[in-house]
Amino acid sequence: MTSPATSQAGTRRDNKFAMLALLAGGLAIGASPIFVRLSELGPLTTAVWRLGLALIPFAIWLAWSHGEQPGNYRKPSGLRDYLGLGLPGVMLAADLGAWHLALNETTVANATLFSNMAPIFVTLGSWLIFRSAITRTFLAGLAIAIVGVIVLKGGPQIEVGNSLLGDALAIVAAIFYAGYILGVGRLRMSFDTLTIMIWSTAVACITLLPLAILIEPALFPSTLYGLAILFGIAWISHAGGQGMITFAMAWLSPAFSSLTLLIQPVVAAILAWIILSEPVGLLQAIGGVIILAGIMVARRG
């Protein structure tokens, strides 16, 4: 029989491992705006390729595991399970569609700033839908992290030439990403990471494909470089990033998970400096430190 002390030690190890997976997922997703900007295709078509190519490693994983369910998880059965697994995919499709469009309608700075307001909607959704308790410490950490995002991006002001439509799309993306996070957090009580990722990715891909065909003329990259960019956003940002986040949410709450992902603007700023020659100023560095401080405070709550 396992002693309470041993059980608690195992839980702490699981929480630490989940935290590392969550941070790694945030780092991987932080590269996605760079991939979108470098893509040869339109924003919606890039999103479709992102989802479709991500199914390849998931299929390999499924074949390797022989479809066995780890731990106490079960296989989906019945209409209710299938609808529950499909709903996060619809949310993900709306999130990625709005997010990719926003990156082409406004600056990366504004799009990243507004889309990373998702923790606000996740926290509100957790409280309104699931009646999850929200401590003052968590709210303080959330506020600090949001301030950090604003400082990182030099403030929420809209520069001359920026599109109000792009900023609005980024906020819409934040709302739908919050719905995706809440849905995945609920599903992790019954289903394993692979099942959730295959269903959400496939449903999102099928949802976006007709829109991409109708709106954007080019469906295929014209160079190997363009194809490599698509594989990068699919395998690094989606399969790797979203997969690790989904895995971590078996141990971490949706509200805290979404807050930790505020590290994405830090990653985007560093990659933009290295790849796109956009310098990281003192204000951005200070914002990154504030974000990490907010995450640590919220973790205590």
Side-chain angles (χ1 to χ4, degrees):
M1 180 176 179
T2 304
S3 67
T6 303
S7 178
Q8 290 176 5
T11 300
R12 285 195 295 269
R13 285 194 299 269
D14 290 339
N15 286 342
K16 290 180 179 179
F17 190 63
M19 185 65 188
L20 290 174
L22 186 66
L23 290 173
L27 293 172
I29 292 181
S32 63
I34 308 299
F35 285 125
V36 174
R37 276 297 183 92
L38 295 177
S39 177
E40 297 176 346
L41 302 176
L44 294 179
T45 306
T46 299
V48 171
W49 277 88
R50 169 182 183 161
L51 295 163
L53 291 176
L55 289 172
I56 297 175
F58 293 148
I60 295 173
W61 184 2
L62 181 64
W64 179 75
S65 64
H66 302 291
E68 297 179 0
Q69 302 297 307
N72 297 321
Y73 299 116
R74 59 184 177 84
K75 293 183 177 181
S77 61
L79 182 60
R80 183 174 181 178
D81 281 352
Y82 296 134
L83 290 176
L85 286 165
L87 182 59
V90 176
M91 294 290 182
L92 181 61
D95 162 51
L96 290 180
W99 165 237
H100 284 209
L101 285 170
L103 285 168
N104 284 267
E105 294 291 336
T106 187
T107 63
V108 173
N110 274 18
T112 307
L113 169 63
F114 290 120
S115 66
N116 277 279
M117 298 296 103
I120 296 175
F121 302 112
V122 171
T123 305
L124 291 175
S126 295
W127 177 61
L128 290 172
I129 300 173
F130 304 127
R131 295 302 177 187
S132 300
I134 301 176
T135 66
R136 293 182 178 179
T137 304
F138 180 88
L139 290 176
L142 175 62
I144 293 171
I146 296 299
V147 169
V149 173
I150 295 173
V151 172
L152 179 82
K153 296 304 175 184
Q157 70 276 7
I158 300 175
E159 301 170 359
V160 177
N162 282 2
S163 170
L164 289 173
L165 174 62
D167 298 323
L169 284 170
I171 295 175
V172 170
I175 295 173
F176 280 109
Y177 188 69
Y180 169 76
I181 287 289
L182 288 171
V184 169
R186 200 70 171 176
L187 289 172
R188 283 300 273 129
M189 298 178 182
S190 303
F191 304 105
D192 66 304
T193 301
L194 182 59
T195 299
I196 296 172
M197 288 307 303
I198 288 178
W199 271 87
S200 63
T201 301
V203 169
C205 185
I206 293 171
T207 302
L208 280 177
L209 181 58
L211 292 175
I213 294 174
L214 288 173
I215 296 175
E216 297 172 354
L219 297 178
F220 299 94
S222 57
T223 66
L224 289 177
Y225 168 81
L227 183 61
I229 293 297
L230 296 175
F231 270 102
I233 194 172
W235 289 11
I236 296 175
S237 295
H238 191 81
Q242 293 290 359
M244 285 185 284
I245 292 167
T246 302
F247 166 81
M249 289 180 66
W251 292 274
L252 304 174
S253 71
F256 178 71
S257 298
S258 66
L259 178 62
T260 305
L261 298 184
L262 284 173
I263 198 173
Q264 293 176 30
V266 182
V267 178
I270 294 174
L271 290 177
W273 171 52
I274 296 173
I275 299 174
L276 304 178
S277 299
E278 297 180 3
V280 178
L282 178 61
L283 197 63
Q284 291 173 302
I286 293 174
V289 173
I290 296 174
I291 290 173
L292 295 178
I295 292 172
M296 294 180 67
V297 171
R299 185 71 179 99
R300 295 182 62 85

